[in-house]
Amino acid sequence: MNHLLRKATGASLALGLPALLMGNAAWAQDASPAESAAEAAAEALGAAADVVAETAQAVAAVATEPSLSAGDTAWMLTSSVLVLMMLVPGIALFYAGMVRKKNVLSVLMQSVFGAGILSVLWVAVGYSIAFSEGNPFFGGLSKAMLAGIGPETLSGTIPEYVFVMFQMTFAIITPVIILGGPADRMKFSAAMVFLSFWLVLVYAPIAHMVWGPGGYLGGDGVLDFAGGTVVHINSGVAALVASIMIGKRSGYGVENMAPHNLSLTMVGASLLWVGWFGFNAGSALSAGASAGVSMINTHVATAAAIVSWSLAEWMVRGKPSLLGAASGAIAGLVVITPACGFVTVSGALIMGLIVGPVCFWAVSGLKAALGYDDALDVWGVHGIGGILGAILTGVFAVAAIGGEGKSGLIDGNPGQLILQVEGVLLTLVWSGVISAVLLKVIDMTIGLRVSKEVETDGLDFALHGERIHD
Amino acid sequence: MNHLLRKATGASLALGLPALLMGNAAWAQDASPAESAAEAAAEALGAAADVVAETAQAVAAVATEPSLSAGDTAWMLTSSVLVLMMLVPGIALFYAGMVRKKNVLSVLMQSVFGAGILSVLWVAVGYSIAFSEGNPFFGGLSKAMLAGIGPETLSGTIPEYVFVMFQMTFAIITPVIILGGPADRMKFSAAMVFLSFWLVLVYAPIAHMVWGPGGYLGGDGVLDFAGGTVVHINSGVAALVASIMIGKRSGYGVENMAPHNLSLTMVGASLLWVGWFGFNAGSALSAGASAGVSMINTHVATAAAIVSWSLAEWMVRGKPSLLGAASGAIAGLVVITPACGFVTVSGALIMGLIVGPVCFWAVSGLKAALGYDDALDVWGVHGIGGILGAILTGVFAVAAIGGEGKSGLIDGNPGQLILQVEGVLLTLVWSGVISAVLLKVIDMTIGLRVSKEVETDGLDFALHGERIHD
Amino acid sequence: MNHLLRKATGASLALGLPALLMGNAAWAQDASPAESAAEAAAEALGAAADVVAETAQAVAAVATEPSLSAGDTAWMLTSSVLVLMMLVPGIALFYAGMVRKKNVLSVLMQSVFGAGILSVLWVAVGYSIAFSEGNPFFGGLSKAMLAGIGPETLSGTIPEYVFVMFQMTFAIITPVIILGGPADRMKFSAAMVFLSFWLVLVYAPIAHMVWGPGGYLGGDGVLDFAGGTVVHINSGVAALVASIMIGKRSGYGVENMAPHNLSLTMVGASLLWVGWFGFNAGSALSAGASAGVSMINTHVATAAAIVSWSLAEWMVRGKPSLLGAASGAIAGLVVITPACGFVTVSGALIMGLIVGPVCFWAVSGLKAALGYDDALDVWGVHGIGGILGAILTGVFAVAAIGGEGKSGLIDGNPGQLILQVEGVLLTLVWSGVISAVLLKVIDMTIGLRVSKEVETDGLDFALHGERIHD
Amino acid sequence: MKLVTAIIKTFKLDEVREALTALGIEGMTVAECKGYGRQKGQTEIYRGAEYVVNFLPKLKIELAVDDDRVDQVIETISQVARTGKIGDGKIFVLGLETAVRIRTGETGSDAL
Amino acid sequence: MKLVTAIIKTFKLDEVREALTALGIEGMTVAECKGYGRQKGQTEIYRGAEYVVNFLPKLKIELAVDDDRVDQVIETISQVARTGKIGDGKIFVLGLETAVRIRTGETGSDAL
Amino acid sequence: MKLVTAIIKTFKLDEVREALTALGIEGMTVAECKGYGRQKGQTEIYRGAEYVVNFLPKLKIELAVDDDRVDQVIETISQVARTGKIGDGKIFVLGLETAVRIRTGETGSDAL
Ligand SMILES: Nc1ncnc2c1ncn2[C@@H]1O[C@H](COP(=O)(O)OP(=O)(O)O)[C@@H](O)[C@H]1O
Ligand SMILES: Nc1ncnc2c1ncn2[C@@H]1O[C@H](COP(=O)(O)OP(=O)(O)O)[C@@H](O)[C@H]1O
Ligand SMILES: Nc1ncnc2c1ncn2[C@@H]1O[C@H](COP(=O)(O)OP(=O)(O)O)[C@@H](O)[C@H]1O
């Protein structure tokens, strides 16, 4: 904004200059001194008035056409870095610690290669589908290969390239989250093909619906500050579908499939927590009040969920576990994601306290009852936690935090709840159906699942030719 | 600051506009052309002068009543993230690598659950006790549950929520540091109860005394830029007390208690180092000159301490060890913490060179002589390093760096040394005594120490039901 | 951009000023009603003129001497932190995962102690040699021990201390990269002595030539946005020379030297990737358009190189490996380093696609053909990738991105290619020759290589008295 | 008494343990080991370099059993651990002179 | 000569080694192993799932000793390694036909 | 048949394996172990504390061989594994009553 203002000032001065000089010139001729002086003054002042009017316009323009803010840009650059860290090495380690040792490298490889291929696709078409004009469900291809964007193109107060980058980090972590469901038994090639199509056919459209120009859900008024719907429900349901369609791990329920090294999982969860501030507070797209409230809400909900999950486990199972605490942290982060810029700190605290026991039940009671093998509990944590978050956003949002019109049940707007449910359902159906179709097609062509022998030997050597030699 | 200035400019233009138009209108009536023109001009100019005066006032006001700075906020958001990373996974890994393998997960759990429960307590009462008005030793409860703070509330040039968040990260890492002392033998429940009370009764009051409004030590002029007293001496002495009161690890001095995996310790130390820039340069609370000097001082002292500890060990023991270098890094970070915004780069270099050998002696000579079992040397590094830092701050502080009145011995103010010693002593006594009382009460109620059997089997399985399967 | 605008504003005010003053002088003559009105007006104008004059001076001062930007500073503080994270623990882990388990701690120690000693040397003399005035090859010693720099000293829009710190992180990681070549067999003492002299005699001069005031290569117009030449070619060729001079690892080609734990390598590569945004986007030295384009280019090239390396390996070897994908990431980061602020996103994508197969060939075909034992492929990735990057920068640079005069072949400036080759050759010769001389002298004095027994037993215990007990 | 030592494929452990428990065998000791035999090693490739891993992961089970159960035990293990593919492993039987239960000091068959 | 093999609880190693050294036993070889016996396994719980770990960590000590020291060695180990709680472990004695010291080529008792 | 057990220095494994393969020995089983003997332990120092590591890493090779090859095998191992420095290790020979190849059920010499 600064430089527009300065431009305006500069212009007014520049315009004022000839007027003043003209005034001088008039005096120099002398005729009727007072008159001509007055005339000159009048002229000068008239010119000055014009200048002022112009400046006023320029200032008004500043309000509607924002300029680059170095502070906001600094924070968004940082946020992009933080969200990338959630994927490599964050979620990669979170997952790697929970699988058996023979599959560790394969899990890590999914994150690294996934980050590569999905980034390329995002730049090629994903960003355009999500964030260019189109219909309420899909954007167009006008920004394919980032057409029309240059270093000086702004998106709000930050370079659009930074916005593209920030959104890219969301777009590449979301598909990879899914792979926790069919972990330990999915072909690497099948997984990468699936993620690629899923990015284009599921992630980008849902992002468009929620955040894109003219998006269906955003237009309806569904609230999703940082991606509870777009990221967590979306990936959660896809993971559930994938887990069911690919079938259980061989030996499931019989063999010991204890997490091989929860230190890795703890490090991964920590980096997810740390990086999630980029995710949530970064979604404010600026370094101001909204980022501040998003950050503290994110932290408080996470802390509360650690405590509530651990206490629930302590009571039910007799011991509080590190995996429980780490899972609680993720559940808290998931639940607050759609809400962080809309709720009070107390609201965030309550949401965190609720999500802990709910997700603990989802990964133990619910999962056991239904019998699917969602290996790393993506549905139980991201799916259930995401749905809870979407709905509780409709409860706890208050206009005093999120601004005009961002009110939930407790702020006298029960209708928001219905909107939130609409968002949840549309996402469940869209992601669930398309994921199922994609998986079916892949299964019929290259096949989804590794052979039993490969599963027994471990994916690290069989698929990637490498082993951990420890 | 920028936008206030803009507001002022905008206002002056808005005010100037009618005056100028009025001038024009006067002309339109005609009467005595020259006169009225001149009068009008005079009026217009008078109005313009008023505007200029007002603007000047507004600009002056900007100086005294700060507004939100996106740049400062960006840095403080980042700093908060960095300090959180020091706890999860920073210090968790630093400690985990030094214990025996059977206790690794329990150490990690202390950090994760500790971060959860302490964050909740900080929001509930801790922040208020530390940073609201009260007496010189305790703040009040007026900000309990962050009452009265909203998204737009500022603290300096950043949202107060960001300040709360930044301070929260300090408040949750400090208690967890203590657990390195009684590591490998303390009950998880006892540890969490202890930390909770310690936060409220020790950390928050000491923070209030040093940094809070009307705080006793800060008011006296004790210098502690980023928490040498509040964080390191405070936790160091509590760890010493806890180590002594809980007793030595069974088999201490007989069994092999070699660190099980110093890779983890190195990663932890690295993340502490990286995150400490948020801690120290973040304590400038803005992204300007003070943050810059704090950052370079922090880095230089750390580098110097790595070199000096390693060389001391090389000379005394014949080999420079990774654990030595990592410990040197932490010692350097500790010693410069109170001083980083007050000393020159040369001062920081000297402080780093001094602290290496001193802490090396503390963890080997002193500890062996006195015979306590401070398992991970919290007293030797944070306690002794912190005391040294507090005192050397009183030596090396110069007004040219820290500003008016921040002078130490070499800047002609020997009295500062006495103040620094006062801060050290008050902290040692306050933290030492209250920690001892708390531990005694916990020991008499739920018990401090696990059974010998649990200690032998390892805390991971016994307390948390988990194991590393590697 | 900002400061240019300010300059314009200042200029217009400066020009307007005499006109106003002259006008006033004219009015001051002559008496009559109009006269007194005019007088009043004159006074008012005089007062206004004073204000304007003062403002003009202030603004003029701003134009020539840029002021601190909190946003830019926030980003540069963050960038410094990110680059430090590339060294500890980034590259330390990247390398540690590739060596045999008995040498892990020694690799980590090289990074930690190296960071310490090199930081001290950078502050002492390195920064001055690189960034103070001198001849085209060496700066002077006028800034030794950072003489003349204070908290308020600026470098562009950031405190010079922040610039020193940012550059320090480059200066300490570059030498440590070299040690991947002679890994597993170099004496710790020899390595540290070598790095110390190399910093002063190779790194600092090359940095001066490329980025320093009056530097030879920079003056010629060689393009190196973030250090492709200074960091990667420079360290790559030194590693090649060191690998050859120290000789092969004993048992090379016979014993199993498989990487012991690629999880560490993956974490290291991830942190390198994450931190590299500080490296590349930080090299814009501000939080604006240039940082934005550098960041997205860095990411896209990396993603593309992951894909292209992995696909090449998949085709040639039958399996895509995690080590391949991680190596591809590093190759992509290396190749885009000199180019990131000069090329389009499509250019970055193409550069990434090219570098993957090229470096894959370098570490397999080329290395096998020539038979040197560059243990961790520093030459193959940093050397070859760096050279490729330097040359492709000369191909893909376009003025629309990097600004006036930053054009390569595709932007109609084939001459840039020759300049780029000049930069490559000078660096190869300078670094190669001085490294060889240094290594020879060290070999003749303290010796370069550990004994066969130490090599067999492992460096961890033999050199540092420590072991991993897992 | 005999000491029966069986080298088996790692994923067969649980099945073998269960089959032996079904026989009434109440104790055994297992250790990780690496085997070299007719089963070919595997080649890992890291960047350019190939490393042939000659030794493959196996498990070694040791059971002290009374003489009269040896045949039954051998039979059981060799059936359950068999996949029919190369590398299934071996069973070795050694004479066991004494066995002592540390907890009680019992010796001989009582100690098993 | 006999080869005495003892399966013991892991934390008893140092005590056993010291007691044997006191007897004049100058060498032994130790390996990690996992035991299955009357001592019940432990249940770990991860999120919803329970995993029973049937095999518990033990250490196996192997000592080659002259015939006349066997009883003494058995006696010592079984006393020192005894906690009286289930899972203390076993001692097995096997006949040892030859022993060779690789460094010198000495055989028999001289090799120990 | 005999069961030849050799405790060797870790870095000698590949040489020993090659030498045995040259003899026509087609199979063996290796396990990591730690040895205590005349070779002194090593002292590690962490901050102030010294820890003497009494047990040094070794490898244990087990080979089932026909009686007539035992001497040759002992000879080969003891030559190849010898460095002449203390700690080179031992070879123990035990009587082997039966050997079974799990894959086929073959017994005796055929099983090796
Ligand atoms: N002579 C031997 N002595 C000891 N162990 C052996 C011997 N021969 C084979 N083994 C073990 O048995 C395993 C399987 O042997 P291998 O020859 O590969 O297959 P198979 O038993 O199916 O013929 C080997 O990996 C090794 O652990
Ligand atoms: N028949 C056996 N053969 C080999 N090892 C055995 C046998 N029975 C027990 N063990 C080993 O001895 C250990 C202790 O045995 P267990 O039955 O649990 O207790 P206890 O020896 O006190 O009766 C087991 O963990 C296992 O390693
Ligand atoms: N009596 C023994 N029983 C079993 N293993 C032994 C015995 N004595 C030595 N060893 C093994 O042999 C290794 C080498 O023995 P040591 O006495 O150190 O050297 P050397 O064999 O050269 O005399 C030891 O580390 C240990 O593993």
Side-chain angles (χ1 to χ4, degrees), chain B residues 17-109:
Chain B
L17 198 57
L20 286 162
L21 292 173
M22 200 164 53
N24 285 329
W27 270 319
Q29 288 165 10
D30 206 44
S32 147
E35 213 171 308
S36 63
E39 251 169 58
E43 262 171 64
L45 283 167
D50 287 354
V51 166
V52 170
E54 256 171 65
T55 306
Q57 275 169 333
V59 170
V62 164
T64 54
E65 194 193 303
S67 60
L68 189 142
S69 155
D72 292 346
T73 303
W75 174 235
M76 295 312 298
L77 291 166
T78 305
S79 291
S80 304
V81 171
L82 289 171
V83 185
L84 181 65
M85 192 167 72
M86 292 174 68
L87 173 53
V88 285
I91 201 158
L93 287 176
F94 184 64
Y95 280 1
M98 283 191 271
V99 300
R100 286 162 291 172
K101 198 175 177 184
K102 60 187 175 183
N103 298 327
V104 168
L105 301 178
S106 80
V107 166
L108 300 176
M109 178 63 172

Side-chain angles (χ1 to χ4, degrees), chain D residues 7 33-40 56 58 85-90 92, chain F residues 3 25-30 62-65 100-104 111-112:
Chain D
I7 318 284
C33 60
K34 309 216 165 205
Y36 176 76
R38 290 172 197 180
Q39 187 185 10
K40 269 191 321 224
L56 298 170
K58 304 279 172 191
K85 299 212 193 96
I86 209 158
D88 276 349
K90 314 278 173 192
F92 302 128
Chain F
L3 187 72
I25 301 289
E26 290 179 337
M28 69 192 74
T29 303
V30 176
E62 289 181 324
L63 296 125
V65 290
V100 181
R101 184 192 305 279
I102 291 175
R103 173 164 51 95
T104 57
L112 303 186

Side-chain angles (χ1 to χ4, degrees), chain B residues 259-272:
Chain B
H260 90 288
N261 190 340
L262 290 175
S263 308
L264 299 182
T265 296
M266 185 274 178
V267 175
S270 299
L271 295 181
L272 284 167

Side-chain angles (χ1 to χ4, degrees), chain A residues 105 254-256 453 456-457 461 464-469, chain D residues 10-11 14 18 34 42-46 53 56-57 85:
Chain A
L105 301 178
V254 179
E255 275 175 38
N256 187 336
E453 205 174 340
T456 304
D457 278 6
F461 178 73
H464 307 292
E466 298 163 312
R467 276 186 215 281
I468 293 181
H469 297 275
Chain D
T10 52
F11 59 90
D14 280 313
E18 276 161 28
K34 309 216 165 205
Q42 295 173 322
T43 303
E44 299 172 21
I45 306 180
Y46 297 97
V53 179
L56 298 170
K85 299 212 193 96

